[in-house]
Structure formats: C-alpha cells, structure tokens
C-alpha cells in the first residue's frame, strides 16, 4: 500500500498546515511522497528539509513585514508576495534554509502549477530548490496579483486555479490512500468568481486561463465531493480546521499563530487514528 500526503494552499491559511506538519516532524512521521499546491507546496519544502518550526518562525517574525506580502512588493515587482525577500533574503540570510538537508531528504515533493496557455494543471518535482524554484514560485503566484512565471518555455501561475486539492492526480499516480490537509472548514463550498475584469486586463492573451478561473469553483467543489466519498470508504484521511477566521493575505500575527496552533492541536488529537490509517504503508516512516 502507498499513501500520499496532499497539502491544499490558501495563502495565509497555510499557517494551519504549518502547524500540522510541525506535529508530524515532532512525532517523526515522514510521508515520503507529498504533493502541494501554492502555500501547501511552500510548506512542503520545510517539511522535506525537516526544519521544525521554520514556518512558525517565518510567521512570528515576518508576517507583518511590508517586504513579505502587500502593496509594496506588488508595486515594486508585480507580485503580492515578495518572492525575492522570501526566497533570497529570508532563506539565505535571516532564517537560513537547510539546502543540504533538502537535497538529502528521502521525501519527494511535487508542486502543482497552472499552464496558462493550455489552462491545465501540471505537476513538477521540487528536488533541487535552486533549480526548481520557478515551479514553486509559479505554484504560489496568485492570478491577478502576480507576474506570470516563464520557465523552460512554459508560462505558469498558481496551481490552485486548476487543481486546488490534487486528490484525483494522486489516485491516477497509483496511490492507494490519501492523507489530505485542508485549509477550509467542513461545509465550505467555493463560489463562482463575480467578475473576470482584472484577469482579462492583466492577462488578455490567455483565454484558457480565464476559462479555467471561471470554472474553478466547479472543479473545487467536485473535489470536495470526491474527498467525502473517499473518506466514507476509508481511502482518505482528512485534517481540516473547524473554523477559519482569516483571509488569504492576513498579516495579524496573533490570528496566524492561533491558526497554526489549531493545526498542531488537530493533528495531535487525531494522530493515533492517522497512524492506524497509514499502518502498513510502504512509503510512510513512523518512529
């Protein structure tokens, strides 16, 4: 039996996922195959390098920094998130990322991106953070608030546009069970985008991107239905918050820490059940 860990995005709501993954690291639970989208992919990177509380420290130190997220990086660089600040200044100077541990880690991670020419999701391994960084950046590049990431002839944006929770991808890749970390509360359903004006203005030459965004709510809600069916069959194990009171661009550290702690507590409360769910999996290491 093989199990894949699936991490939803959600911008600042990724604080919840950071808490869940820190509980896993604390317990010594390694999922050797992880797929993440947007903030989920970003969180997966520190999980692969096995850096306990690294994302917790980023939240506590930089969440309200103008260079991290907001109008300043948007006006200066065209991105709502300050990618150069995050991946160069923080990762290499202020809170060093362990690149050696990342390369040597047995954990394999995949990031989901959206090819804006085809309007379809694509999936790329993040094995070398320097070489594969464009895919990670693309996965986190929110439409309307980010520059297009161009790499190896591809034009890419946020993977959440086309595959917010890649459960179907996991099944098609041969995984028997899925452990899914969501950043929305039970009962949530995505609504249709009211206006496509910003997308048409910023990306006028990519009609398939616009079509994918128009229909995103349909795919997202269908995936939630699939997850529910898999749960009923004991083929999926879901960790999700019982409530979420912050938005995608939340900068209030207290609110972010509350959500982080909620993720940690939720994972701890269900840890024994999770171990039973992954028992016998050939690609999960438990201590």
């Amino acid at each position: 039996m093989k199990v894949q860990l699936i991490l939803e995005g959600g911008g600042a709501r990724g604080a919840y996922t950071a808490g869940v993954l820190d509980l896993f690291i604390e317990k010594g639970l390694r999922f050797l195959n992880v797929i993440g989208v947007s903030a989920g992919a970003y969180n997966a990177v520190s999980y692969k390098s096995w850096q306990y509380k690294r994302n917790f420290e980023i939240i506590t130190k930089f969440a309200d920094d103008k260079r991290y997220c907001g109008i300043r990086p948007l006006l200066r660089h065209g991105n709502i998130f300050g990618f150069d600040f995050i991946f160069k200044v923080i990762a290499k100077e202020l809170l060093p990322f362990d690149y050696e541990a990342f390369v040597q880690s047995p954990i394999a991670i995949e990031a989901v991106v959206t090819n804006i020419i085809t309007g379809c999701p694509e999936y790329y391994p993040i094995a070398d953070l320097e070489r594969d960084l464009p895919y990670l950046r693309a996965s986190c590049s929110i439409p309307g608030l980010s520059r297009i990431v161009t790499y190896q002839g591809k034009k890419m944006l946020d993977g959440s546009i086309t595959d917010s929770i890649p459960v179907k991808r996991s099944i098609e890749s041969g995984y028997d069970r899925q452990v899914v970390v969501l950043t929305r509360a039970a009962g949530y359903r995505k609504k249709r985008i009211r206006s496509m004006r910003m997308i048409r203005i910023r990306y006028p030459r990519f009609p398939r991107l616009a079509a994918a965004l128009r229909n995103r709510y349909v795919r997202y809600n269908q995936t939630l239905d699939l997850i529910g069916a898999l749960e009923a069959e004991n083929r999926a194990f879901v960790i999700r918050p019982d409530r979420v009171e912050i938005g995608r661009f939340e900068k209030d550290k207290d609110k972010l820490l509350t959500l982080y702690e909620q993720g940690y507590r939720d994972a701890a409360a269900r840890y024994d059940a999770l171990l039973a769910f992954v028992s016998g999996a050939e690609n999960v290491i438990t201590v």
Side-chain angles (χ1 to χ4, degrees):
M1 180 183 70
K2 294 180 67 178
V3 177
Q4 185 163 46
L5 176 62
I6 300 171
L7 307 177
E8 184 182 15
R13 293 190 298 272
Y16 181 84
T17 304
V20 172
L21 295 181
D22 276 346
L23 186 280
F24 290 174
I25 293 175
E26 186 178 288
K27 294 288 190 179
L29 178 62
R30 294 181 193 256
F31 290 88
L32 298 187
N33 297 95
V34 183
I35 186 167
V37 188
S38 195
Y42 179 73
N43 274 308
V45 165
S46 291
Y47 179 66
K48 176 175 169 63
S49 64
W50 211 245
Q51 288 182 264
Y52 181 60
K53 285 197 170 183
R54 183 173 187 275
N55 287 326
F56 169 86
E57 290 189 56
I58 290 175
I59 291 168
T60 57
K61 293 179 180 179
F62 306 113
D64 59 356
D65 192 304
K66 293 180 179 179
R67 296 169 293 176
Y68 186 84
C69 176
I71 194 67
R72 178 176 173 180
L74 182 62
L75 292 177
R76 287 191 174 187
H77 306 292
N79 294 301
I80 190 72
F81 290 109
F83 289 130
D84 286 344
F85 179 65
I86 293 169
F87 293 116
K88 293 181 181 179
V89 179
I90 294 179
K92 295 185 177 181
E93 299 174 20
L94 303 178
L95 190 60
F97 182 78
D98 194 336
Y99 291 92
E100 183 177 352
F102 183 87
V103 171
Q104 295 179 352
S105 172
I107 297 171
I109 62 174
E110 250 186 346
V112 185
V113 307
T114 294
N115 183 318
I116 66 171
I117 296 175
T118 66
C120 295
E122 295 180 348
Y123 311 87
Y124 293 101
I126 309 297
D128 181 315
L129 197 55
E130 298 279 12
R131 181 195 64 209
D132 302 326
L133 183 59
Y135 295 124
L136 183 59
R137 288 184 60 156
S139 189
C140 299
S141 294
I142 297 171
L145 297 172
S146 304
R147 288 183 179 274
I148 295 167
V149 176
T150 301
Y151 184 59
Q152 295 187 344
K154 299 180 183 295
K155 294 184 180 297
M156 303 171 289
L157 284 173
D158 192 344
S160 295
I161 299 168
T162 49
D163 197 357
S164 297
I165 314 167
V167 174
K168 187 176 179 181
R169 161 73 176 182
S170 180
I171 294 170
E172 292 173 348
S173 297
Y175 294 96
D176 305 288
R177 291 186 174 186
Q178 287 73 36
V179 173
V180 187
V181 180
L182 300 179
T183 58
R184 294 284 195 179
Y188 172 80
R189 285 293 184 273
K190 190 172 290 296
K191 297 178 181 179
R192 185 174 185 174
I193 295 176
R194 292 182 180 179
S195 174
M196 297 292 296
R197 185 178 179 184
M198 180 184 292
I199 300 302
R200 292 193 184 100
I201 291 173
R202 188 146 195 198
Y203 315 112
R205 297 185 294 109
F206 303 101
R208 292 183 180 178
L209 169 64
L213 280 164
R214 266 196 311 270
N215 296 315
R216 181 187 177 194
Y217 78 105
V218 175
R219 291 189 302 274
Y220 187 91
N221 295 337
Q222 287 175 342
T223 300
L224 290 180
D225 292 339
L226 172 60
I227 291 171
L230 292 172
E231 277 189 284
E233 298 170 3
N234 197 37
R235 293 170 59 195
F237 187 99
V238 180
I239 301 174
R240 52 158 53 103
D242 56 8
R243 66 185 183 282
V244 180
E245 299 177 350
I246 68 170
R248 178 178 286 187
F249 306 115
E250 181 63 63
K251 299 172 77 68
D252 186 307
K253 291 181 179 179
D254 290 336
K255 291 181 180 179
L256 290 168
L257 287 175
T258 295
L259 189 58
Y260 168 90
E261 291 166 355
Q262 185 180 347
Y264 181 92
R265 288 196 305 270
D266 288 351
R270 303 197 62 201
Y271 188 70
D272 289 343
L274 175 60
L275 288 185
F277 180 80
V278 301
S279 178
E282 63 187 68
N283 62 333
V284 178
I285 299 174
T286 59
V287 177

